[in-house]
Amino acid sequence: MSEKKKTKRRGIRILLALLLLVALVLGGVAYYYFYSPFSTREETQYVYIDKGDDIAKVYAMLDTIGKPHSLQGFKKLAAWDDYASHVKEGRYAIKPGASTKEVFRNLKNGEQEPLNVTVPSARTMESLAKTVASKLQFDSLALYKALTDPATCEKLGFDTVSIYCLFIPETYNMYWTVSVDAFLERMKKEHDNFWNDERLSKARKLGLSPNEVVTLASIVAEESNYAPEKPTIAGLYLNRLRKGILLQSDPTVKFAMHDFALRRIYNRMLTIDNPYNTYKYAGLPPGPIRVPNVVDIDAVLNYKQHNYIYMCAKEDFSGSHNFAVTEAEHNANANRYRAALNARGIK
């Protein structure tokens, strides 16, 4: 082989080596800025981009999570994509090991991370709205206004009294940016799914509508936190309804007086003229006195059959009750409970 050819080949090898070196350097730089883990955190971090947040706000949030060179890489990608002109609101997860490019792609495409939202067994719509809105983007006042708006309630199949029946206290997976309307539509879907053929059939056998079942369940919920006796309490009130006896439920008096903190109900309170006062008005109250839990609703649908007409909290303050068939038995139970209240100075 001639010296000229050897020199040419040597030049080609050197050129290839230089190109390989350049490629390695560029690859290393690309990895360093775009493909290495964005954060050193060992737990998933979340970025909340609200309505009206600009790219500067996004950079400020990412600066508290990402490595300096990762943020530089993000900014380069943002500049190339003109991300500043289409920042998308949402709740975004930055998972351990996620690359800068992956983080950018999620924010750019609006690929949010859903979250769990627990709908509580609340006593008031205001309380429910506050709890739900604390996990979502919309304001609690916006949700409360919707729940107290006759037109909105009617669209969902309820009124402002029965709207409590819409909610099935559970934990639901949804996006942080869900709107109030979309949230309520989701709740209606979950409500309709809950009231399946089996539950509807049980309600019909009781002679009650689903709303009436929930109304009775709300009383059961307020009467006791002790799950094993809830079906017994439900059976007691069903006995009263069937016999045309006033329900005489103390929690309905508390609701009528708008005072859930009452620990003792006195005779003077039993005459309050309010349709929720079941000591004065027969039958079920106009609507639920709270959002009951599923266990309360199912306690009504699967009530325990017995002859009890009366109930009174046990004098040991265990949270359970003494049940009675006759008024004489009930009076004896009530006297023991009153004596225990007096002994403790509970007024």
Side-chain angles (χ1 to χ4, degrees):
M1 182 182 297
S2 67
E3 190 63 32
K4 185 176 181 181
K5 287 184 177 180
K6 288 181 180 179
T7 301
K8 183 177 180 181
R9 287 189 175 184
R10 188 161 48 247
I12 292 173
R13 285 197 296 269
I14 292 172
L15 179 60
L16 290 174
L18 288 172
L19 290 174
L20 178 60
L21 179 60
V22 170
L24 288 173
V25 170
L26 291 176
V29 171
Y31 176 81
Y32 182 71
Y33 283 103
F34 307 123
Y35 295 98
S36 63
F38 182 81
S39 173
T40 59
R41 305 284 185 90
E42 295 182 355
E43 296 180 351
T44 299
Q45 304 295 307
Y46 296 95
V47 172
Y48 292 82
I49 302 177
D50 212 337
K51 296 177 181 177
D53 284 349
D54 58 16
I55 196 167
K57 183 68 175 293
V58 175
Y59 289 160
M61 288 187 283
L62 293 176
D63 187 43
T64 65
I65 300 172
K67 295 176 287 189
H69 67 270
S70 298
L71 185 59
Q72 290 179 38
F74 187 97
K75 289 180 177 180
K76 291 180 186 297
L77 292 170
W80 294 336
D81 187 78
D82 191 24
Y83 174 63
S85 67
H86 53 87
V87 173
K88 295 181 179 178
E89 61 185 322
R91 173 184 182 266
Y92 300 97
I94 300 180
K95 299 179 180 180
S99 69
T100 300
K101 188 171 182 180
E102 183 180 350
V103 171
F104 175 74
R105 184 181 67 243
N106 289 343
L107 270 65
K108 167 193 170 185
N109 296 334
E111 295 179 6
Q112 296 188 60
E113 184 79 4
L115 75 167
N116 291 325
V117 177
T118 298
V119 172
S121 173
R123 280 174 166 158
T124 66
M125 288 296 98
E126 184 178 16
S127 174
L128 184 144
K130 286 181 178 179
T131 300
V132 170
S134 69
K135 297 294 293 291
L136 297 172
Q137 185 184 34
F138 57 67
D139 182 76
S140 64
L141 182 58
L143 178 56
Y144 178 72
K145 284 183 176 180
L147 295 173
T148 54
D149 174 53
T152 300
C153 292
E154 183 180 2
K155 187 170 69 172
L156 294 166
F158 302 92
D159 56 31
T160 55
V161 170
S162 64
I163 192 63
Y164 287 79
C165 301
L166 170 67
F167 298 100
I168 308 298
E170 290 285 2
T171 297
Y172 302 98
N173 197 246
M174 59 186 68
Y175 290 114
W176 179 65
T177 52
V178 65
S179 66
V180 169
D181 287 343
F183 170 76
L184 293 176
E185 288 172 6
R186 170 72 182 279
M187 292 300 97
K188 181 63 166 64
K189 179 180 178 181
E190 297 293 345
H191 168 277
D192 294 347
N193 288 339
F194 176 82
W195 284 102
N196 54 29
D197 291 341
E198 181 182 0
R199 286 192 172 98
L200 287 173
S201 176
K202 290 180 178 180
R204 283 193 293 270
K205 289 179 181 178
L206 293 175
L208 301 176
S209 68
N211 285 3
E212 289 172 328
V213 170
V214 174
T215 298
L216 180 51
S218 72
I219 296 175
V220 172
E222 283 291 325
E223 288 284 13
S224 178
N225 291 320
Y226 183 49
E229 74 174 14
K230 288 178 182 289
T232 302
I233 296 173
L236 184 152
Y237 281 119
L238 286 168
N239 286 344
R240 282 179 164 262
L241 284 173
R242 289 164 180 165
K243 292 176 182 291
I245 302 173
L246 290 171
L247 296 188
Q248 296 183 323
S249 169
D250 288 357
T252 64
V253 177
K254 293 180 182 180
F255 185 89
M257 297 182 68
H258 304 290
D259 188 351
F260 295 105
L262 284 173
R263 299 185 66 186
R264 193 165 183 173
I265 302 296
Y266 292 94
N267 287 335
R268 66 177 182 275
M269 301 176 182
L270 306 182
T271 58
I272 181 174
D273 190 14
N274 185 294
Y276 282 88
N277 180 6
T278 57
Y279 278 86
K280 186 176 181 67
Y281 290 92
L284 290 167
I289 59 175
R290 71 169 302 140
V291 176
N293 278 306
V294 172
V295 66
D296 303 305
I297 299 172
D298 283 342
V300 174
L301 295 176
N302 302 288
Y303 72 99
K304 186 175 181 178
Q305 295 187 30
H306 52 65
N307 295 319
Y308 296 136
I309 297 296
Y310 303 96
M311 62 181 287
C312 179
K314 286 186 176 179
E315 62 277 9
D316 61 3
F317 298 97
S318 62
S320 56
H321 293 77
N322 287 313
F323 297 92
V325 176
T326 68
E327 187 174 5
E329 292 174 326
H330 173 65
N331 288 338
N333 293 333
N335 287 336
R336 289 198 301 272
Y337 183 62
R338 278 193 290 268
L341 289 174
N342 292 333
R344 293 197 179 192
I346 297 175
K347 299 185 181 295

